[in-house]
Amino acid sequence: MRKRVLHCIGLLALVLSTFVPVLSRAVAVQASDRGEIEFRVGSSNSTRVAGARVIVINHEGKVVSTGLTDTQGLYIAHVPMYKAKWNERYDAKGVVNAIVVADGYNEQAVFIVPITEHTIQPVILQPIQPNGRNAPSVSLGNFSSYDLAGYINRYASELHLKRQGPIPGEPSYSPWSPQQASASSR
């Protein structure tokens, strides 16, 4: 019996010495491919909401992170990044959706939250109103203006749209026009 136990321990040591370095490399790769989203949960009456449940859902509909906000109304989610054709060149590496629920508040769904090395996503919950209309609310994620402009530029350029004239007082920016450039001016 003792010989058999020692043999099993020896086999276990061999297996661990073989696979632990591989597993630790896999964990290191996964850690570097993860984004961080800081959910800042507050209410419409300017108070931080502690104990709110944040549920983070990936593009495949799977829950990838969940937890409760701390006393400051913060929850930090670490989620896998992924590349999609629309975001290959931008800071955002994929998007997730989130649902936030808290006692005394109506639910909030936040769609299209960008995944970056450190995204800050504010969420404003609406207090339950006795004898009033109570329903879940919805908002869109907090994209940086740089990523949003890059996203729009990519598709406007692909469609060969023209720019509108410069805006008075803001010469460095001109929005895209719905009109396409003629084939000769491309």
Side-chain angles (χ1 to χ4, degrees), residues 80-163:
M81 292 188 190
Y82 65 95
K83 288 187 180 181
K85 288 190 182 261
W86 69 267
N87 70 344
E88 289 173 340
R89 299 184 314 220
Y90 310 115
D91 289 341
K93 294 301 178 202
V95 295
V96 291
N97 297 324
I99 298 170
V100 181
V101 297
D103 290 334
Y105 296 91
N106 290 297
E107 308 91 337
Q108 171 81 21
V110 185
F111 291 105
I112 313 174
V113 178
I115 304 169
T116 65
E117 288 182 15
H118 185 77
T119 299
I120 295 176
Q121 179 58 57
V123 179
I124 305 298
L125 296 178
Q126 299 300 320
I128 293 172
Q129 300 292 323
N131 303 314
R133 183 166 186 261
N134 293 285
S137 56
V138 63
S139 64
L140 292 176
N142 191 21
F143 272 86
S144 75
S145 58
Y146 171 78
D147 282 335
L148 186 57
Y151 178 73
I152 292 168
N153 289 345
R154 175 182 177 213
Y155 289 102
S157 296
E158 186 176 307
L159 293 173
H160 306 288
L161 299 182
K162 293 189 222 178
R163 291 262 185 194

Side-chain angles (χ1 to χ4, degrees), residues 26-54:
V27 168
V29 169
Q30 288 176 353
S32 67
D33 289 341
R34 295 182 81 71
E36 180 178 274
I37 303 170
E38 180 180 325
F39 289 90
R40 296 180 179 179
V41 181
S43 72
S44 60
N45 57 11
S46 300
T47 58
R48 296 175 182 151
V49 179
R53 167 73 58 187
V54 178

